[in-house]
Amino acid sequence: MSIDVNIDSTRKHITIAIEGAFGFNLVQEFRRSYSEHKGYQFTVDLRKVDYIDSAGLGMLLNMQNYLNLSDGSIVLANPLPQVKKILIISRFDKKFQIE
């Protein structure tokens, strides 16, 4: 369970790659990954996330609210089928761009 942050200052884009279970245990680390970067575009790379719970979903919503971004401004990229299913059931496809 870890988070890797890649900041591209020239494009004002940040990729946050999460590995393992995306849940409550990552709250502080996830918040630190975006809290200093208002005005950037974000991609949350979920390719190595094998499980997401309600805390993980809440963290994505908190990120969107904190950054005051409109729908689709945060891309949730490469979710595994079981994670994508949870995102769709939770209607996150209406709040985020899922690729």
Side-chain angles (χ1 to χ4, degrees), residues 29-56:
E29 189 177 358
F30 186 70
R31 187 176 295 138
R32 278 193 302 271
S33 71
Y34 65 81
S35 62
E36 300 286 322
H37 303 287
K38 286 191 174 187
Y40 279 68
Q41 295 293 319
F42 290 87
T43 299
V44 180
D45 188 345
L46 301 172
R47 80 180 72 228
K48 294 183 180 178
V49 172
D50 50 17
Y51 176 77
I52 186 169
D53 63 13
S54 59

mmCIF file with all atom_site columns, all heavy atoms in Angstrom, residues 29-56:
data_model
loop_
_atom_site.group_PDB
_atom_site.id
_atom_site.type_symbol
_atom_site.label_atom_id
_atom_site.label_alt_id
_atom_site.label_comp_id
_atom_site.label_asym_id
_atom_site.label_entity_id
_atom_site.label_seq_id
_atom_site.pdbx_PDB_ins_code
_atom_site.Cartn_x
_atom_site.Cartn_y
_atom_site.Cartn_z
_atom_site.occupancy
_atom_site.B_iso_or_equiv
_atom_site.pdbx_formal_charge
_atom_site.auth_seq_id
_atom_site.auth_comp_id
_atom_site.auth_asym_id
_atom_site.auth_atom_id
_atom_site.pdbx_PDB_model_num
ATOM 1   N N   . GLU A 1 29 ? -1.427  10.316 3.559   1.00 0.00 ? 29 GLU A N   1
ATOM 2   C CA  . GLU A 1 29 ? -0.500  10.308 2.424   1.00 0.00 ? 29 GLU A CA  1
ATOM 3   C C   . GLU A 1 29 ? -1.199  10.772 1.149   1.00 0.00 ? 29 GLU A C   1
ATOM 4   O O   . GLU A 1 29 ? -0.636  11.540 0.362   1.00 0.00 ? 29 GLU A O   1
ATOM 5   C CB  . GLU A 1 29 ? 0.076   8.898  2.243   1.00 0.00 ? 29 GLU A CB  1
ATOM 6   C CG  . GLU A 1 29 ? 1.199   8.828  1.247   1.00 0.00 ? 29 GLU A CG  1
ATOM 7   C CD  . GLU A 1 29 ? 1.801   7.434  1.148   1.00 0.00 ? 29 GLU A CD  1
ATOM 8   O OE1 . GLU A 1 29 ? 1.377   6.514  1.886   1.00 0.00 ? 29 GLU A OE1 1
ATOM 9   O OE2 . GLU A 1 29 ? 2.701   7.272  0.306   1.00 0.00 ? 29 GLU A OE2 1
ATOM 10  N N   . PHE A 1 30 ? -2.430  10.341 0.926   1.00 0.00 ? 30 PHE A N   1
ATOM 11  C CA  . PHE A 1 30 ? -3.174  10.756 -0.263  1.00 0.00 ? 30 PHE A CA  1
ATOM 12  C C   . PHE A 1 30 ? -3.455  12.254 -0.226  1.00 0.00 ? 30 PHE A C   1
ATOM 13  O O   . PHE A 1 30 ? -3.265  12.952 -1.216  1.00 0.00 ? 30 PHE A O   1
ATOM 14  C CB  . PHE A 1 30 ? -4.481  9.955  -0.387  1.00 0.00 ? 30 PHE A CB  1
ATOM 15  C CG  . PHE A 1 30 ? -5.227  10.243 -1.664  1.00 0.00 ? 30 PHE A CG  1
ATOM 16  C CD1 . PHE A 1 30 ? -4.729  9.804  -2.881  1.00 0.00 ? 30 PHE A CD1 1
ATOM 17  C CD2 . PHE A 1 30 ? -6.412  10.947 -1.648  1.00 0.00 ? 30 PHE A CD2 1
ATOM 18  C CE1 . PHE A 1 30 ? -5.409  10.071 -4.066  1.00 0.00 ? 30 PHE A CE1 1
ATOM 19  C CE2 . PHE A 1 30 ? -7.103  11.211 -2.816  1.00 0.00 ? 30 PHE A CE2 1
ATOM 20  C CZ  . PHE A 1 30 ? -6.597  10.775 -4.029  1.00 0.00 ? 30 PHE A CZ  1
ATOM 21  N N   . ARG A 1 31 ? -3.867  12.766 0.926   1.00 0.00 ? 31 ARG A N   1
ATOM 22  C CA  . ARG A 1 31 ? -4.147  14.199 1.049   1.00 0.00 ? 31 ARG A CA  1
ATOM 23  C C   . ARG A 1 31 ? -2.896  15.026 0.752   1.00 0.00 ? 31 ARG A C   1
ATOM 24  O O   . ARG A 1 31 ? -2.962  16.053 0.076   1.00 0.00 ? 31 ARG A O   1
ATOM 25  C CB  . ARG A 1 31 ? -4.683  14.513 2.445   1.00 0.00 ? 31 ARG A CB  1
ATOM 26  C CG  . ARG A 1 31 ? -5.150  15.957 2.577   1.00 0.00 ? 31 ARG A CG  1
ATOM 27  C CD  . ARG A 1 31 ? -5.775  16.256 3.909   1.00 0.00 ? 31 ARG A CD  1
ATOM 28  N NE  . ARG A 1 31 ? -7.010  15.490 4.055   1.00 0.00 ? 31 ARG A NE  1
ATOM 29  C CZ  . ARG A 1 31 ? -7.369  14.870 5.166   1.00 0.00 ? 31 ARG A CZ  1
ATOM 30  N NH1 . ARG A 1 31 ? -6.613  14.922 6.241   1.00 0.00 ? 31 ARG A NH1 1
ATOM 31  N NH2 . ARG A 1 31 ? -8.507  14.216 5.220   1.00 0.00 ? 31 ARG A NH2 1
ATOM 32  N N   . ARG A 1 32 ? -1.752  14.586 1.259   1.00 0.00 ? 32 ARG A N   1
ATOM 33  C CA  . ARG A 1 32 ? -0.491  15.306 0.997   1.00 0.00 ? 32 ARG A CA  1
ATOM 34  C C   . ARG A 1 32 ? -0.145  15.315 -0.488  1.00 0.00 ? 32 ARG A C   1
ATOM 35  O O   . ARG A 1 32 ? 0.500   16.242 -0.977  1.00 0.00 ? 32 ARG A O   1
ATOM 36  C CB  . ARG A 1 32 ? 0.650   14.677 1.781   1.00 0.00 ? 32 ARG A CB  1
ATOM 37  C CG  . ARG A 1 32 ? 0.742   15.122 3.216   1.00 0.00 ? 32 ARG A CG  1
ATOM 38  C CD  . ARG A 1 32 ? 2.062   14.711 3.859   1.00 0.00 ? 32 ARG A CD  1
ATOM 39  N NE  . ARG A 1 32 ? 2.273   13.271 3.829   1.00 0.00 ? 32 ARG A NE  1
ATOM 40  C CZ  . ARG A 1 32 ? 1.879   12.415 4.767   1.00 0.00 ? 32 ARG A CZ  1
ATOM 41  N NH1 . ARG A 1 32 ? 1.246   12.864 5.831   1.00 0.00 ? 32 ARG A NH1 1
ATOM 42  N NH2 . ARG A 1 32 ? 2.124   11.133 4.650   1.00 0.00 ? 32 ARG A NH2 1
ATOM 43  N N   . SER A 1 33 ? -0.562  14.305 -1.232  1.00 0.00 ? 33 SER A N   1
ATOM 44  C CA  . SER A 1 33 ? -0.188  14.194 -2.642  1.00 0.00 ? 33 SER A CA  1
ATOM 45  C C   . SER A 1 33 ? -0.815  15.283 -3.514  1.00 0.00 ? 33 SER A C   1
ATOM 46  O O   . SER A 1 33 ? -0.300  15.579 -4.578  1.00 0.00 ? 33 SER A O   1
ATOM 47  C CB  . SER A 1 33 ? -0.548  12.812 -3.185  1.00 0.00 ? 33 SER A CB  1
ATOM 48  O OG  . SER A 1 33 ? -1.948  12.654 -3.314  1.00 0.00 ? 33 SER A OG  1
ATOM 49  N N   . TYR A 1 34 ? -1.909  15.881 -3.066  1.00 0.00 ? 34 TYR A N   1
ATOM 50  C CA  . TYR A 1 34 ? -2.558  16.913 -3.877  1.00 0.00 ? 34 TYR A CA  1
ATOM 51  C C   . TYR A 1 34 ? -2.737  18.261 -3.178  1.00 0.00 ? 34 TYR A C   1
ATOM 52  O O   . TYR A 1 34 ? -2.979  19.272 -3.831  1.00 0.00 ? 34 TYR A O   1
ATOM 53  C CB  . TYR A 1 34 ? -3.927  16.423 -4.381  1.00 0.00 ? 34 TYR A CB  1
ATOM 54  C CG  . TYR A 1 34 ? -4.951  16.188 -3.307  1.00 0.00 ? 34 TYR A CG  1
ATOM 55  C CD1 . TYR A 1 34 ? -5.675  17.236 -2.759  1.00 0.00 ? 34 TYR A CD1 1
ATOM 56  C CD2 . TYR A 1 34 ? -5.216  14.907 -2.846  1.00 0.00 ? 34 TYR A CD2 1
ATOM 57  C CE1 . TYR A 1 34 ? -6.628  17.013 -1.770  1.00 0.00 ? 34 TYR A CE1 1
ATOM 58  C CE2 . TYR A 1 34 ? -6.167  14.671 -1.867  1.00 0.00 ? 34 TYR A CE2 1
ATOM 59  C CZ  . TYR A 1 34 ? -6.871  15.729 -1.334  1.00 0.00 ? 34 TYR A CZ  1
ATOM 60  O OH  . TYR A 1 34 ? -7.806  15.495 -0.360  1.00 0.00 ? 34 TYR A OH  1
ATOM 61  N N   . SER A 1 35 ? -2.597  18.325 -1.875  1.00 0.00 ? 35 SER A N   1
ATOM 62  C CA  . SER A 1 35 ? -3.006  19.526 -1.144  1.00 0.00 ? 35 SER A CA  1
ATOM 63  C C   . SER A 1 35 ? -2.178  20.774 -1.432  1.00 0.00 ? 35 SER A C   1
ATOM 64  O O   . SER A 1 35 ? -2.645  21.880 -1.216  1.00 0.00 ? 35 SER A O   1
ATOM 65  C CB  . SER A 1 35 ? -3.031  19.249 0.363   1.00 0.00 ? 35 SER A CB  1
ATOM 66  O OG  . SER A 1 35 ? -1.756  18.906 0.818   1.00 0.00 ? 35 SER A OG  1
ATOM 67  N N   . GLU A 1 36 ? -0.996  20.620 -1.947  1.00 0.00 ? 36 GLU A N   1
ATOM 68  C CA  . GLU A 1 36 ? -0.144  21.787 -2.229  1.00 0.00 ? 36 GLU A CA  1
ATOM 69  C C   . GLU A 1 36 ? -0.203  22.220 -3.699  1.00 0.00 ? 36 GLU A C   1
ATOM 70  O O   . GLU A 1 36 ? 0.592   23.048 -4.120  1.00 0.00 ? 36 GLU A O   1
ATOM 71  C CB  . GLU A 1 36 ? 1.316   21.436 -1.891  1.00 0.00 ? 36 GLU A CB  1
ATOM 72  C CG  . GLU A 1 36 ? 1.529   21.045 -0.448  1.00 0.00 ? 36 GLU A CG  1
ATOM 73  C CD  . GLU A 1 36 ? 1.471   22.232 0.491   1.00 0.00 ? 36 GLU A CD  1
ATOM 74  O OE1 . GLU A 1 36 ? 1.960   23.307 0.109   1.00 0.00 ? 36 GLU A OE1 1
ATOM 75  O OE2 . GLU A 1 36 ? 0.927   22.069 1.602   1.00 0.00 ? 36 GLU A OE2 1
ATOM 76  N N   . HIS A 1 37 ? -1.151  21.665 -4.463  1.00 0.00 ? 37 HIS A N   1
ATOM 77  C CA  . HIS A 1 37 ? -1.085  21.840 -5.916  1.00 0.00 ? 37 HIS A CA  1
ATOM 78  C C   . HIS A 1 37 ? -2.398  22.273 -6.548  1.00 0.00 ? 37 HIS A C   1
ATOM 79  O O   . HIS A 1 37 ? -2.827  21.704 -7.551  1.00 0.00 ? 37 HIS A O   1
ATOM 80  C CB  . HIS A 1 37 ? -0.599  20.540 -6.563  1.00 0.00 ? 37 HIS A CB  1
ATOM 81  C CG  . HIS A 1 37 ? 0.717   20.081 -6.047  1.00 0.00 ? 37 HIS A CG  1
ATOM 82  N ND1 . HIS A 1 37 ? 1.897   20.709 -6.365  1.00 0.00 ? 37 HIS A ND1 1
ATOM 83  C CD2 . HIS A 1 37 ? 1.051   19.083 -5.205  1.00 0.00 ? 37 HIS A CD2 1
ATOM 84  C CE1 . HIS A 1 37 ? 2.898   20.103 -5.756  1.00 0.00 ? 37 HIS A CE1 1
ATOM 85  N NE2 . HIS A 1 37 ? 2.405   19.116 -5.038  1.00 0.00 ? 37 HIS A NE2 1
ATOM 86  N N   . LYS A 1 38 ? -3.022  23.291 -5.986  1.00 0.00 ? 38 LYS A N   1
ATOM 87  C CA  . LYS A 1 38 ? -4.223  23.822 -6.624  1.00 0.00 ? 38 LYS A CA  1
ATOM 88  C C   . LYS A 1 38 ? -3.833  24.414 -7.976  1.00 0.00 ? 38 LYS A C   1
ATOM 89  O O   . LYS A 1 38 ? -2.758  24.971 -8.127  1.00 0.00 ? 38 LYS A O   1
ATOM 90  C CB  . LYS A 1 38 ? -4.892  24.859 -5.743  1.00 0.00 ? 38 LYS A CB  1
ATOM 91  C CG  . LYS A 1 38 ? -5.601  24.254 -4.556  1.00 0.00 ? 38 LYS A CG  1
ATOM 92  C CD  . LYS A 1 38 ? -6.469  25.268 -3.860  1.00 0.00 ? 38 LYS A CD  1
ATOM 93  C CE  . LYS A 1 38 ? -7.269  24.579 -2.772  1.00 0.00 ? 38 LYS A CE  1
ATOM 94  N NZ  . LYS A 1 38 ? -8.239  25.464 -2.161  1.00 0.00 ? 38 LYS A NZ  1
ATOM 95  N N   . GLY A 1 39 ? -4.705  24.274 -8.951  1.00 0.00 ? 39 GLY A N   1
ATOM 96  C CA  . GLY A 1 39 ? -4.421  24.795 -10.290 1.00 0.00 ? 39 GLY A CA  1
ATOM 97  C C   . GLY A 1 39 ? -3.808  23.762 -11.215 1.00 0.00 ? 39 GLY A C   1
ATOM 98  O O   . GLY A 1 39 ? -3.560  24.052 -12.381 1.00 0.00 ? 39 GLY A O   1
ATOM 99  N N   . TYR A 1 40 ? -3.560  22.569 -10.732 1.00 0.00 ? 40 TYR A N   1
ATOM 100 C CA  . TYR A 1 40 ? -3.015  21.483 -11.541 1.00 0.00 ? 40 TYR A CA  1
ATOM 101 C C   . TYR A 1 40 ? -4.143  20.575 -12.017 1.00 0.00 ? 40 TYR A C   1
ATOM 102 O O   . TYR A 1 40 ? -5.231  20.554 -11.440 1.00 0.00 ? 40 TYR A O   1
ATOM 103 C CB  . TYR A 1 40 ? -2.036  20.635 -10.719 1.00 0.00 ? 40 TYR A CB  1
ATOM 104 C CG  . TYR A 1 40 ? -0.646  21.215 -10.601 1.00 0.00 ? 40 TYR A CG  1
ATOM 105 C CD1 . TYR A 1 40 ? -0.420  22.378 -9.863  1.00 0.00 ? 40 TYR A CD1 1
ATOM 106 C CD2 . TYR A 1 40 ? 0.432   20.607 -11.207 1.00 0.00 ? 40 TYR A CD2 1
ATOM 107 C CE1 . TYR A 1 40 ? 0.849   22.906 -9.737  1.00 0.00 ? 40 TYR A CE1 1
ATOM 108 C CE2 . TYR A 1 40 ? 1.711   21.131 -11.087 1.00 0.00 ? 40 TYR A CE2 1
ATOM 109 C CZ  . TYR A 1 40 ? 1.912   22.281 -10.356 1.00 0.00 ? 40 TYR A CZ  1
ATOM 110 O OH  . TYR A 1 40 ? 3.176   22.801 -10.243 1.00 0.00 ? 40 TYR A OH  1
ATOM 111 N N   . GLN A 1 41 ? -3.876  19.828 -13.068 1.00 0.00 ? 41 GLN A N   1
ATOM 112 C CA  . GLN A 1 41 ? -4.753  18.745 -13.508 1.00 0.00 ? 41 GLN A CA  1
ATOM 113 C C   . GLN A 1 41 ? -4.242  17.470 -12.864 1.00 0.00 ? 41 GLN A C   1
ATOM 114 O O   . GLN A 1 41 ? -3.031  17.322 -12.656 1.00 0.00 ? 41 GLN A O   1
ATOM 115 C CB  . GLN A 1 41 ? -4.736  18.614 -15.035 1.00 0.00 ? 41 GLN A CB  1
ATOM 116 C CG  . GLN A 1 41 ? -5.316  19.811 -15.754 1.00 0.00 ? 41 GLN A CG  1
ATOM 117 C CD  . GLN A 1 41 ? -6.807  19.948 -15.492 1.00 0.00 ? 41 GLN A CD  1
ATOM 118 O OE1 . GLN A 1 41 ? -7.546  18.974 -15.475 1.00 0.00 ? 41 GLN A OE1 1
ATOM 119 N NE2 . GLN A 1 41 ? -7.249  21.173 -15.258 1.00 0.00 ? 41 GLN A NE2 1
ATOM 120 N N   . PHE A 1 42 ? -5.132  16.529 -12.592 1.00 0.00 ? 42 PHE A N   1
ATOM 121 C CA  . PHE A 1 42 ? -4.748  15.323 -11.866 1.00 0.00 ? 42 PHE A CA  1
ATOM 122 C C   . PHE A 1 42 ? -5.187  14.055 -12.584 1.00 0.00 ? 42 PHE A C   1
ATOM 123 O O   . PHE A 1 42 ? -6.288  14.000 -13.133 1.00 0.00 ? 42 PHE A O   1
ATOM 124 C CB  . PHE A 1 42 ? -5.368  15.317 -10.466 1.00 0.00 ? 42 PHE A CB  1
ATOM 125 C CG  . PHE A 1 42 ? -4.775  16.336 -9.549  1.00 0.00 ? 42 PHE A CG  1
ATOM 126 C CD1 . PHE A 1 42 ? -5.258  17.627 -9.524  1.00 0.00 ? 42 PHE A CD1 1
ATOM 127 C CD2 . PHE A 1 42 ? -3.714  16.005 -8.721  1.00 0.00 ? 42 PHE A CD2 1
ATOM 128 C CE1 . PHE A 1 42 ? -4.709  18.581 -8.690  1.00 0.00 ? 42 PHE A CE1 1
ATOM 129 C CE2 . PHE A 1 42 ? -3.151  16.951 -7.881  1.00 0.00 ? 42 PHE A CE2 1
ATOM 130 C CZ  . PHE A 1 42 ? -3.657  18.234 -7.863  1.00 0.00 ? 42 PHE A CZ  1
ATOM 131 N N   . THR A 1 43 ? -4.306  13.061 -12.530 1.00 0.00 ? 43 THR A N   1
ATOM 132 C CA  . THR A 1 43 ? -4.639  11.703 -12.923 1.00 0.00 ? 43 THR A CA  1
ATOM 133 C C   . THR A 1 43 ? -4.345  10.821 -11.726 1.00 0.00 ? 43 THR A C   1
ATOM 134 O O   . THR A 1 43 ? -3.245  10.877 -11.170 1.00 0.00 ? 43 THR A O   1
ATOM 135 C CB  . THR A 1 43 ? -3.796  11.229 -14.129 1.00 0.00 ? 43 THR A CB  1
ATOM 136 O OG1 . THR A 1 43 ? -4.071  12.083 -15.245 1.00 0.00 ? 43 THR A OG1 1
ATOM 137 C CG2 . THR A 1 43 ? -4.109  9.786  -14.490 1.00 0.00 ? 43 THR A CG2 1
ATOM 138 N N   . VAL A 1 44 ? -5.336  10.038 -11.318 1.00 0.00 ? 44 VAL A N   1
ATOM 139 C CA  . VAL A 1 44 ? -5.140  9.071  -10.247 1.00 0.00 ? 44 VAL A CA  1
ATOM 140 C C   . VAL A 1 44 ? -5.038  7.713  -10.933 1.00 0.00 ? 44 VAL A C   1
ATOM 141 O O   . VAL A 1 44 ? -6.019  7.209  -11.493 1.00 0.00 ? 44 VAL A O   1
ATOM 142 C CB  . VAL A 1 44 ? -6.294  9.101  -9.221  1.00 0.00 ? 44 VAL A CB  1
ATOM 143 C CG1 . VAL A 1 44 ? -6.045  8.069  -8.125  1.00 0.00 ? 44 VAL A CG1 1
ATOM 144 C CG2 . VAL A 1 44 ? -6.445  10.500 -8.624  1.00 0.00 ? 44 VAL A CG2 1
ATOM 145 N N   . ASP A 1 45 ? -3.834  7.159  -10.952 1.00 0.00 ? 45 ASP A N   1
ATOM 146 C CA  . ASP A 1 45 ? -3.571  5.893  -11.634 1.00 0.00 ? 45 ASP A CA  1
ATOM 147 C C   . ASP A 1 45 ? -3.917  4.740  -10.694 1.00 0.00 ? 45 ASP A C   1
ATOM 148 O O   . ASP A 1 45 ? -3.271  4.544  -9.664  1.00 0.00 ? 45 ASP A O   1
ATOM 149 C CB  . ASP A 1 45 ? -2.106  5.826  -12.052 1.00 0.00 ? 45 ASP A CB  1
ATOM 150 C CG  . ASP A 1 45 ? -1.793  4.643  -12.941 1.00 0.00 ? 45 ASP A CG  1
ATOM 151 O OD1 . ASP A 1 45 ? -2.627  3.712  -13.020 1.00 0.00 ? 45 ASP A OD1 1
ATOM 152 O OD2 . ASP A 1 45 ? -0.723  4.644  -13.561 1.00 0.00 ? 45 ASP A OD2 1
ATOM 153 N N   . LEU A 1 46 ? -4.928  3.975  -11.081 1.00 0.00 ? 46 LEU A N   1
ATOM 154 C CA  . LEU A 1 46 ? -5.438  2.894  -10.247 1.00 0.00 ? 46 LEU A CA  1
ATOM 155 C C   . LEU A 1 46 ? -5.031  1.506  -10.745 1.00 0.00 ? 46 LEU A C   1
ATOM 156 O O   . LEU A 1 46 ? -5.572  0.504  -10.278 1.00 0.00 ? 46 LEU A O   1
ATOM 157 C CB  . LEU A 1 46 ? -6.971  2.989  -10.178 1.00 0.00 ? 46 LEU A CB  1
ATOM 158 C CG  . LEU A 1 46 ? -7.536  4.293  -9.621  1.00 0.00 ? 46 LEU A CG  1
ATOM 159 C CD1 . LEU A 1 46 ? -9.049  4.330  -9.787  1.00 0.00 ? 46 LEU A CD1 1
ATOM 160 C CD2 . LEU A 1 46 ? -7.147  4.466  -8.167  1.00 0.00 ? 46 LEU A CD2 1
ATOM 161 N N   . ARG A 1 47 ? -4.083  1.420  -11.665 1.00 0.00 ? 47 ARG A N   1
ATOM 162 C CA  . ARG A 1 47 ? -3.732  0.133  -12.269 1.00 0.00 ? 47 ARG A CA  1
ATOM 163 C C   . ARG A 1 47 ? -3.246  -0.905 -11.261 1.00 0.00 ? 47 ARG A C   1
ATOM 164 O O   . ARG A 1 47 ? -3.381  -2.094 -11.493 1.00 0.00 ? 47 ARG A O   1
ATOM 165 C CB  . ARG A 1 47 ? -2.728  0.312  -13.403 1.00 0.00 ? 47 ARG A CB  1
ATOM 166 C CG  . ARG A 1 47 ? -1.291  0.494  -12.957 1.00 0.00 ? 47 ARG A CG  1
ATOM 167 C CD  . ARG A 1 47 ? -0.306  0.668  -14.105 1.00 0.00 ? 47 ARG A CD  1
ATOM 168 N NE  . ARG A 1 47 ? -0.483  1.974  -14.705 1.00 0.00 ? 47 ARG A NE  1
ATOM 169 C CZ  . ARG A 1 47 ? -0.578  2.171  -16.027 1.00 0.00 ? 47 ARG A CZ  1
ATOM 170 N NH1 . ARG A 1 47 ? -0.486  1.178  -16.853 1.00 0.00 ? 47 ARG A NH1 1
ATOM 171 N NH2 . ARG A 1 47 ? -0.748  3.389  -16.494 1.00 0.00 ? 47 ARG A NH2 1
ATOM 172 N N   . LYS A 1 48 ? -2.699  -0.468 -10.132 1.00 0.00 ? 48 LYS A N   1
ATOM 173 C CA  . LYS A 1 48 ? -2.191  -1.404 -9.125  1.00 0.00 ? 48 LYS A CA  1
ATOM 174 C C   . LYS A 1 48 ? -3.069  -1.458 -7.876  1.00 0.00 ? 48 LYS A C   1
ATOM 175 O O   . LYS A 1 48 ? -2.669  -1.996 -6.858  1.00 0.00 ? 48 LYS A O   1
ATOM 176 C CB  . LYS A 1 48 ? -0.758  -1.042 -8.744  1.00 0.00 ? 48 LYS A CB  1
ATOM 177 C CG  . LYS A 1 48 ? 0.224   -1.226 -9.888  1.00 0.00 ? 48 LYS A CG  1
ATOM 178 C CD  . LYS A 1 48 ? 1.632   -0.929 -9.473  1.00 0.00 ? 48 LYS A CD  1
ATOM 179 C CE  . LYS A 1 48 ? 2.598   -1.120 -10.640 1.00 0.00 ? 48 LYS A CE  1
ATOM 180 N NZ  . LYS A 1 48 ? 3.969   -0.792 -10.252 1.00 0.00 ? 48 LYS A NZ  1
ATOM 181 N N   . VAL A 1 49 ? -4.279  -0.903 -7.985  1.00 0.00 ? 49 VAL A N   1
ATOM 182 C CA  . VAL A 1 49 ? -5.224  -0.953 -6.867  1.00 0.00 ? 49 VAL A CA  1
ATOM 183 C C   . VAL A 1 49 ? -6.103  -2.184 -7.052  1.00 0.00 ? 49 VAL A C   1
ATOM 184 O O   . VAL A 1 49 ? -6.822  -2.299 -8.042  1.00 0.00 ? 49 VAL A O   1
ATOM 185 C CB  . VAL A 1 49 ? -6.098  0.324  -6.808  1.00 0.00 ? 49 VAL A CB  1
ATOM 186 C CG1 . VAL A 1 49 ? -7.205  0.182  -5.783  1.00 0.00 ? 49 VAL A CG1 1
ATOM 187 C CG2 . VAL A 1 49 ? -5.234  1.532  -6.511  1.00 0.00 ? 49 VAL A CG2 1
ATOM 188 N N   . ASP A 1 50 ? -6.024  -3.097 -6.097  1.00 0.00 ? 50 ASP A N   1
ATOM 189 C CA  . ASP A 1 50 ? -6.824  -4.310 -6.210  1.00 0.00 ? 50 ASP A CA  1
ATOM 190 C C   . ASP A 1 50 ? -8.116  -4.235 -5.411  1.00 0.00 ? 50 ASP A C   1
ATOM 191 O O   . ASP A 1 50 ? -8.987  -5.090 -5.534  1.00 0.00 ? 50 ASP A O   1
ATOM 192 C CB  . ASP A 1 50 ? -6.014  -5.542 -5.800  1.00 0.00 ? 50 ASP A CB  1
ATOM 193 C CG  . ASP A 1 50 ? -5.320  -5.380 -4.456  1.00 0.00 ? 50 ASP A CG  1
ATOM 194 O OD1 . ASP A 1 50 ? -5.685  -4.477 -3.688  1.00 0.00 ? 50 ASP A OD1 1
ATOM 195 O OD2 . ASP A 1 50 ? -4.388  -6.154 -4.188  1.00 0.00 ? 50 ASP A OD2 1
ATOM 196 N N   . TYR A 1 51 ? -8.262  -3.186 -4.596  1.00 0.00 ? 51 TYR A N   1
ATOM 197 C CA  . TYR A 1 51 ? -9.456  -3.038 -3.760  1.00 0.00 ? 51 TYR A CA  1
ATOM 198 C C   . TYR A 1 51 ? -9.625  -1.576 -3.385  1.00 0.00 ? 51 TYR A C   1
ATOM 199 O O   . TYR A 1 51 ? -8.658  -0.899 -3.053  1.00 0.00 ? 51 TYR A O   1
ATOM 200 C CB  . TYR A 1 51 ? -9.307  -3.894 -2.490  1.00 0.00 ? 51 TYR A CB  1
ATOM 201 C CG  . TYR A 1 51 ? -10.431 -3.747 -1.521  1.00 0.00 ? 51 TYR A CG  1
ATOM 202 C CD1 . TYR A 1 51 ? -11.653 -4.378 -1.732  1.00 0.00 ? 51 TYR A CD1 1
ATOM 203 C CD2 . TYR A 1 51 ? -10.289 -2.967 -0.380  1.00 0.00 ? 51 TYR A CD2 1
ATOM 204 C CE1 . TYR A 1 51 ? -12.705 -4.240 -0.830  1.00 0.00 ? 51 TYR A CE1 1
ATOM 205 C CE2 . TYR A 1 51 ? -11.331 -2.821 0.528   1.00 0.00 ? 51 TYR A CE2 1
ATOM 206 C CZ  . TYR A 1 51 ? -12.530 -3.462 0.294   1.00 0.00 ? 51 TYR A CZ  1
ATOM 207 O OH  . TYR A 1 51 ? -13.554 -3.316 1.184   1.00 0.00 ? 51 TYR A OH  1
ATOM 208 N N   . ILE A 1 52 ? -10.865 -1.095 -3.452  1.00 0.00 ? 52 ILE A N   1
ATOM 209 C CA  . ILE A 1 52 ? -11.183 0.256  -2.992  1.00 0.00 ? 52 ILE A CA  1
ATOM 210 C C   . ILE A 1 52 ? -12.422 0.151  -2.103  1.00 0.00 ? 52 ILE A C   1
ATOM 211 O O   . ILE A 1 52 ? -13.376 -0.543 -2.437  1.00 0.00 ? 52 ILE A O   1
ATOM 212 C CB  . ILE A 1 52 ? -11.405 1.230  -4.173  1.00 0.00 ? 52 ILE A CB  1
ATOM 213 C CG1 . ILE A 1 52 ? -11.589 2.670  -3.672  1.00 0.00 ? 52 ILE A CG1 1
ATOM 214 C CG2 . ILE A 1 52 ? -12.552 0.798  -5.062  1.00 0.00 ? 52 ILE A CG2 1
ATOM 215 C CD1 . ILE A 1 52 ? -11.537 3.721  -4.779  1.00 0.00 ? 52 ILE A CD1 1
ATOM 216 N N   . ASP A 1 53 ? -12.378 0.802  -0.946  1.00 0.00 ? 53 ASP A N   1
ATOM 217 C CA  . ASP A 1 53 ? -13.529 0.765  -0.039  1.00 0.00 ? 53 ASP A CA  1
ATOM 218 C C   . ASP A 1 53 ? -14.162 2.154  0.041   1.00 0.00 ? 53 ASP A C   1
ATOM 219 O O   . ASP A 1 53 ? -13.776 3.069  -0.691  1.00 0.00 ? 53 ASP A O   1
ATOM 220 C CB  . ASP A 1 53 ? -13.129 0.223  1.334   1.00 0.00 ? 53 ASP A CB  1
ATOM 221 C CG  . ASP A 1 53 ? -12.123 1.093  2.069   1.00 0.00 ? 53 ASP A CG  1
ATOM 222 O OD1 . ASP A 1 53 ? -11.889 2.248  1.672   1.00 0.00 ? 53 ASP A OD1 1
ATOM 223 O OD2 . ASP A 1 53 ? -11.558 0.610  3.065   1.00 0.00 ? 53 ASP A OD2 1
ATOM 224 N N   . SER A 1 54 ? -15.133 2.295  0.929   1.00 0.00 ? 54 SER A N   1
ATOM 225 C CA  . SER A 1 54 ? -15.853 3.571  1.036   1.00 0.00 ? 54 SER A CA  1
ATOM 226 C C   . SER A 1 54 ? -14.927 4.712  1.446   1.00 0.00 ? 54 SER A C   1
ATOM 227 O O   . SER A 1 54 ? -15.128 5.857  1.030   1.00 0.00 ? 54 SER A O   1
ATOM 228 C CB  . SER A 1 54 ? -17.016 3.462  2.019   1.00 0.00 ? 54 SER A CB  1
ATOM 229 O OG  . SER A 1 54 ? -16.555 3.099  3.301   1.00 0.00 ? 54 SER A OG  1
ATOM 230 N N   . ALA A 1 55 ? -13.892 4.418  2.213   1.00 0.00 ? 55 ALA A N   1
ATOM 231 C CA  . ALA A 1 55 ? -12.928 5.462  2.585   1.00 0.00 ? 55 ALA A CA  1
ATOM 232 C C   . ALA A 1 55 ? -12.163 5.937  1.356   1.00 0.00 ? 55 ALA A C   1
ATOM 233 O O   . ALA A 1 55 ? -11.928 7.139  1.189   1.00 0.00 ? 55 ALA A O   1
ATOM 234 C CB  . ALA A 1 55 ? -11.966 4.951  3.648   1.00 0.00 ? 55 ALA A CB  1
ATOM 235 N N   . GLY A 1 56 ? -11.780 5.020  0.484   1.00 0.00 ? 56 GLY A N   1
ATOM 236 C CA  . GLY A 1 56 ? -11.092 5.387  -0.753  1.00 0.00 ? 56 GLY A CA  1
ATOM 237 C C   . GLY A 1 56 ? -11.981 6.240  -1.647  1.00 0.00 ? 56 GLY A C   1
ATOM 238 O O   . GLY A 1 56 ? -11.537 7.246  -2.211  1.00 0.00 ? 56 GLY A O   1
#
